Amino acid sequence: MLKDKVFELSQKFSGTTHGSSDYDKDHIFVRGSSDREYVPFSYLQKEVPEIDSINKLKSEGFVFSSYDFLEINEFDQWYLSQFNKRLPSKAMKSIGILHLPDQKAIFDTVEVVHQTFQILKDHKVLMNGKNLPIQLGEWYAKIIFGLHQIKSSSQRGFDFKTENGSTVEVKVHWHDSTSPKGVKIKKSLAELSDFCIIMYVAKNFTIRDILFLDSEFILRKFDTKGHTIFLKDQDVAGYFFSKSDKHFDKVVNKTALLKFASPTLAMKLEDRLK
């Protein structure tokens, strides 16, 4: 398996020093089986020619995040021991880490979280638990579409970008059905972004549907004089993943999409994603 090759090479690379090499100049590093093992992406490509781009790893379940978003202290120590120099503070903002989350563990946890939320809701303890669903929905978008997650600056810009640098606004709607008013999007964010992804997450935390739309299309089709755009189900029905194949080419990790989709959505997608 490709994962095993990556872990093996990260262990091999981390086992010796590389102070005389140029690998310290890499901007992408791949995490091995622990926070203490990494391998420069250029070294990985050299050793495994089939890894022609980072999308090859993303399709296997790896996720890209900026280093300063992850804040892995062990990486600083690893960098120092490997290259005999400290990681420059300027470089921290430009370095990305590809890491492999345990999807089975996450899926199992999602089921437990759903049960826990339901108990707390039944006993009137939990009144507003949107923070977790929103972050989970954003993670779904990140792993499915291979988005790069970066640390937000003071400007609301964009936590998510595609590999080629296009900006993405990710909106999460957590409910088993959509309000008649639709999903609310700030017009200013649509104007600043290249794409808008709406993740419809069911109450049990599975994905019940997805919208992947060009921001320009949203602004043209849903023109409004106000500051808010409402995407009503009946107006965007033809663009849902459950009905349209238009943006299937944007899916980097089909396995993750099917794994975290609701049974109903998974049945609609399975044959069409092949």
Side-chain angles (χ1 to χ4, degrees), residues 129-144:
K130 289 187 177 179
N131 190 42
L132 172 61
I134 288 171
Q135 291 190 67
L136 182 62
E138 289 178 342
W139 185 84
Y140 285 155
K142 177 180 171 181
I143 192 170
I144 290 168

Side-chain angles (χ1 to χ4, degrees), residues 12-132:
K12 176 183 175 182
F13 188 90
S14 301
T16 58
T17 58
H18 303 271
S20 61
S21 71
D22 291 330
Y23 289 122
D24 61 300
K25 296 182 174 63
D26 265 37
H27 291 290
I28 299 176
F29 293 85
V30 184
R31 179 188 179 277
S33 58
S34 77
D35 284 341
R36 294 180 175 82
E37 294 180 355
Y38 301 86
V39 58
F41 184 68
S42 61
Y43 176 88
L44 202 58
Q45 283 189 297
K46 180 181 177 182
E47 296 295 316
V48 188
E50 66 181 283
I51 303 177
D52 53 355
S53 73
I54 63 175
N55 272 353
K56 180 66 176 178
L57 293 181
K58 289 178 182 177
S59 68
E60 296 290 325
F62 283 80
V63 177
F64 184 101
S65 301
S66 66
Y67 164 71
D68 58 355
F69 175 83
L70 292 174
E71 298 178 347
I72 306 174
N73 294 329
E74 289 85 352
F75 182 77
D76 290 16
Q77 299 165 9
W78 174 87
Y79 190 95
L80 176 61
S81 64
Q82 289 299 308
F83 307 117
N84 196 30
K85 63 173 70 172
R86 292 194 175 279
L87 179 64
S89 56
K90 184 182 292 186
M92 293 180 184
K93 296 181 182 292
S94 61
I95 286 179
I97 305 289
L98 280 159
H99 50 103
L100 184 66
D102 186 334
Q103 291 187 32
K104 182 181 184 304
I106 294 171
F107 182 79
D108 292 343
T109 301
V110 166
E111 291 187 323
V112 172
V113 169
H114 169 57
Q115 294 169 8
T116 304
F117 263 62
Q118 191 60 50
I119 292 170
L120 294 175
K121 183 179 177 182
D122 291 344
H123 290 277
K124 315 305 179 192
V125 174
L126 186 66
M127 309 304 286
N128 183 356
K130 289 187 177 179
N131 190 42
L132 172 61

Side-chain angles (χ1 to χ4, degrees), residues 49-266:
E50 66 181 283
I51 303 177
D52 53 355
S53 73
I54 63 175
N55 272 353
K56 180 66 176 178
L57 293 181
K58 289 178 182 177
S59 68
E60 296 290 325
F62 283 80
V63 177
F64 184 101
S65 301
S66 66
Y67 164 71
D68 58 355
F69 175 83
L70 292 174
E71 298 178 347
I72 306 174
N73 294 329
E74 289 85 352
F75 182 77
D76 290 16
Q77 299 165 9
W78 174 87
Y79 190 95
L80 176 61
S81 64
Q82 289 299 308
F83 307 117
N84 196 30
K85 63 173 70 172
R86 292 194 175 279
L87 179 64
S89 56
K90 184 182 292 186
M92 293 180 184
K93 296 181 182 292
S94 61
I95 286 179
I97 305 289
L98 280 159
H99 50 103
L100 184 66
D102 186 334
Q103 291 187 32
K104 182 181 184 304
I106 294 171
F107 182 79
D108 292 343
T109 301
V110 166
E111 291 187 323
V112 172
V113 169
H114 169 57
Q115 294 169 8
T116 304
F117 263 62
Q118 191 60 50
I119 292 170
L120 294 175
K121 183 179 177 182
D122 291 344
H123 290 277
K124 315 305 179 192
V125 174
L126 186 66
M127 309 304 286
N128 183 356
K130 289 187 177 179
N131 190 42
L132 172 61
I134 288 171
Q135 291 190 67
L136 182 62
E138 289 178 342
W139 185 84
Y140 285 155
K142 177 180 171 181
I143 192 170
I144 290 168
F145 297 106
L147 303 180
H148 292 190
Q149 188 168 26
I150 62 175
K151 192 171 184 178
S152 296
S153 61
S154 55
Q155 177 186 2
R156 170 61 173 99
F158 280 89
D159 300 344
F160 299 99
K161 291 187 177 182
T162 63
E163 186 180 355
N164 64 12
S166 298
T167 54
V168 182
E169 169 66 10
V170 177
K171 178 76 175 180
V172 179
H173 181 273
W174 182 48
H175 208 283
D176 288 335
S177 60
T178 312
S179 164
K181 289 185 178 180
V183 175
K184 181 171 66 175
I185 295 178
K186 289 184 179 179
K187 186 177 180 180
S188 59
L189 295 181
E191 290 172 337
L192 290 170
S193 64
D194 297 306
F195 301 104
C196 287
I197 298 175
I198 297 89
M199 304 295 297
Y200 294 83
V201 179
K203 281 289 188 178
N204 66 355
F205 299 101
T206 59
I207 303 167
R208 64 181 182 87
D209 224 321
I210 300 175
L211 276 178
F212 192 119
L213 300 173
D214 295 342
S215 296
E216 184 181 338
F217 167 79
I218 293 175
L219 293 167
R220 185 175 67 249
K221 185 174 177 63
F222 303 96
D223 189 28
T224 175
K225 294 181 180 179
H227 300 293
T228 304
I229 298 171
F230 289 94
L231 300 180
K232 298 179 180 179
D233 280 8
Q234 64 265 31
D235 295 332
V236 294
Y239 305 99
F240 281 123
F241 263 44
S242 59
K243 296 182 180 179
S244 172
D245 301 349
K246 183 178 180 181
H247 287 292
F248 277 10
D249 63 314
K250 306 294 196 309
V251 175
V252 171
N253 191 329
K254 297 177 182 178
T255 302
L257 173 54
L258 292 174
K259 178 185 287 289
F260 294 106
S262 67
T264 301
L265 179 61

